[in-house]
Amino acid sequence: MKRLLINPRFCKGCGICAAFCPKSALELKDGKAALKERCSCILCGLCEQRCPDYAIFLRDEVGA
Amino acid sequence: MREYSDLIYKYTRVDHLPHIWCAGCGNGILTRDVAVAFERLKLEREKTVVVSGIGCSSRAAGYLDVNTIHTTHGRALAFATGIKLANPELHVVVITGDGDCAAIGGNHLIHAARRNIDLTAIVFNNNTYGMTGGQYSPTTPTGDKGTTAPYGNIDRAFDIARLAESSGASYTARGTAYHTLETIQAIERGILHKGFSLIDCYSVCPTYYGRKNKKGSAVDMLIWQRDHGVPRARYDALSPEERQGKFPVGILQQNDYPEFIEQYQRIIDGCETEQERSAFIHD
Ligand SMILES: Cc1ncc(C[n+]2csc(CCOP(=O)(O)OP(=O)(O)O)c2C)c(N)n1
Ligand code: SF4
Ligand code: SF4
């Protein structure tokens, strides 16, 4: 099972992940990407593919 | 635990992150596309060289964990030509900007293409000189503004992919910061292609080109790419009317023109006496 992780240290708050998330699962909170509700994320990885700062990503939960 | 995307782990100097690019800059997306293409091709890091010139785009060389050289403005293709000739076994990939490769480096571009030397040039094309504050570049559309064109640019823009094709490049492709999968694939195929390959990738510079031309945020600029760029197979199925205002993303053309290093090797092999040989090979 994968899990969505966000690194606020790398995030510059451009909003690209939130704009192109097919489930509208993301928002900007205090200028950083944040999950609105984990249950709506379908783990598609589109946010990871377009994040210019490598700050949002999917990771296998085992061994993470 | 790694605190960044695994997609970039293998070929990126993660200790240099976060990178210097502005929020929403397309260069970060395109650099990842390059790293993913390297990973998919399982390129040996020791046999891979990334050469760049000068510009925001050219800073990408600093973040890729292969052999890298950040050269002088416009000259990346000249350095790359020397590296490839000295050791043809290397994969030599050039990362360059629209200014770097089509303004100051325009002559190197047309001659690298004309020679059809086995290099892969990836253009991060943001329609401006980002690093120096937003002057107009050879790909700034007519009428658009730059610090050096406050009333609008009166020049016509180069289509860098077509320029390379007409100069003799045997592989040209279009990428965009939005179309990541198509762009990764175009880069992969360009690296595999024997001959001069150029992937002209539309980037976004929200800070200068975007702001000066009221193009909105980085998101708005990527939405424009999404709505106007059409993956090649789908584009081919469109009627001429449907193609109005759209552009294809993916491979634009590919052919098998003779490649420069092979031709050069043939001359070396053809030299019969040691004396003739020594004119080409210097110890
Ligand atoms: C010989 C020389 N002339 C001019 C410059 C100043 N200069 C630095 S970057 C640049 C333009 C870069 O534009 P581009 O290649 O489009 O890259 P971008 O920053 O937009 O990614 C210029 C003119 C320089 N560094 N060296
Ligand atoms: S993985 Fe997909 S669904 Fe989940 S936040 Fe990212 S884009 Fe949205
Ligand atoms: S000035 Fe433009 S090209 Fe340079 S880092 Fe900022 S957004 Fe990117």
Side-chain angles (χ1 to χ4, degrees), chain A residues 4 21-22 26 41-47 58:
Chain A
L4 187 84
C21 169
L26 297 162
C41 169
I42 54 166
L43 304 169
C44 66
L46 287 174
C47 50
L58 298 176

Side-chain angles (χ1 to χ4, degrees), chain B residues 21 27 54-58 72-73 75 96-101 104 124-132 135 137-138 205:
Chain B
W21 293 311
N27 293 344
I54 297 293
C56 294
S57 39
S58 290
T72 53
H73 196 26
R75 292 354 178 197
T96 178
D98 40 299
D100 197 61
C101 86
I104 190 169
F124 290 5
N125 182 350
N126 61 3
N127 314 97
T128 191
Y129 293 178
M131 176 158 276
T132 45
Q135 294 81 1
S137 89
C205 170

Side-chain angles (χ1 to χ4, degrees), chain A residues 7 12 48-49 51-52 54, chain B residues 3 5 19 21 28 32 178 180:
Chain A
N7 175 354
K12 294 175 185 159
E48 177 170 14
Q49 256 176 49
C51 171
Y54 323 129
Chain B
E3 45 168 358
S5 164
H19 56 56
W21 293 311
R32 190 226 325 274
Y178 176 81
T180 47

Side-chain angles (χ1 to χ4, degrees), chain B residues 72-84:
Chain B
T72 53
H73 196 26
R75 292 354 178 197
L77 283 165
F79 281 87
T81 298
I83 292 165
K84 183 72 182 178

Side-chain angles (χ1 to χ4, degrees), chain B:
Chain B
M1 190 182 89
R2 291 180 205 133
E3 45 168 358
Y4 41 80
S5 164
D6 289 337
L7 291 180
I8 55 151
Y9 172 61
K10 200 154 167 222
Y11 291 93
T12 308
R13 293 180 180 137
V14 287
D15 51 329
H16 288 38
L17 299 176
H19 56 56
I20 49 134
W21 293 311
C22 306
C25 175
N27 293 344
I29 306 177
L30 293 170
T31 300
R32 190 226 325 274
D33 292 348
V34 175
V36 172
F38 286 0
E39 168 121 35
R40 287 207 195 157
L41 293 171
K42 308 243 173 315
L43 293 191
E44 275 182 70
R45 288 175 48 226
E46 296 69 25
K47 290 205 171 148
T48 307
V49 185
V50 169
V51 186
S52 69
I54 297 293
C56 294
S57 39
S58 290
R59 293 293 295 254
Y63 299 113
L64 290 164
D65 196 10
V66 294
N67 300 288
T68 59
I69 170 165
H70 190 183
T71 72
T72 53
H73 196 26
R75 292 354 178 197
L77 283 165
F79 281 87
T81 298
I83 292 165
K84 183 72 182 178
L85 267 169
N87 187 354
E89 274 187 22
L90 299 173
H91 294 286
V92 183
V93 174
V94 170
I95 297 183
T96 178
D98 40 299
D100 197 61
C101 86
I104 190 169
N107 234 27
H108 294 296
L109 173 67
I110 60 176
H111 293 290
R114 181 175 63 88
R115 288 192 177 119
N116 195 33
I117 183 165
D118 187 21
L119 303 173
T120 307
I122 304 169
V123 188
F124 290 5
N125 182 350
N126 61 3
N127 314 97
T128 191
Y129 293 178
M131 176 158 276
T132 45
Q135 294 81 1
Y136 69 88
S137 89
T139 63
T140 304
T142 311
D144 278 4
K145 293 185 173 141
T147 53
T148 43
Y151 306 108
N153 173 29
I154 56 176
D155 292 339
R156 286 170 301 158
F158 268 144
D159 178 330
I160 296 177
R162 282 179 62 201
L163 174 65
E165 176 185 353
S166 60
S167 305
S170 52
Y171 175 102
T172 48
R174 166 86 53 230
T176 82
Y178 176 81
H179 296 87
T180 47
L181 296 180
E182 291 80 4
T183 304
I184 293 166
Q185 197 176 60
I187 295 170
E188 271 183 83
R189 296 199 176 157
I191 292 170
L192 293 176
H193 176 80
K194 187 137 199 95
F196 188 74
S197 48
L198 180 135
I199 304 102
D200 184 9
C201 304
Y202 293 155
S203 188
V204 295
C205 170
T207 300
Y208 290 116
Y209 177 75
R211 197 168 52 190
K212 279 220 164 315
N213 290 290
K214 303 195 167 49
K215 301 281 182 193
S217 64
V219 168
D220 295 321
M221 295 174 85
L222 290 177
I223 288 174
W224 186 92
Q225 293 185 350
R226 180 193 70 190
D227 293 346
H228 293 81
V230 184
R232 185 64 209 253
R234 244 194 307 134
Y235 182 85
D236 288 345
L238 297 179
S239 67
E241 298 75 50
E242 290 168 325
R243 286 185 189 176
Q244 285 305 310
K246 308 272 189 208
F247 62 87
V249 180
I251 296 181
L252 299 172
Q253 59 94 29
Q254 185 167 20
N255 61 59
D256 55 4
Y257 294 148
E259 193 275 324
F260 180 76
I261 296 199
E262 281 180 359
Q263 300 299 308
Y264 196 77
Q265 191 59 46
R266 211 163 283 168
I267 292 179
I268 295 174
D269 293 344
C271 290
E272 281 170 9
T273 66
E274 278 305 306
Q275 215 172 15
E276 282 173 307
R277 203 174 286 268
S278 67
F280 291 94
I281 304 170
H282 302 280
D283 290 325

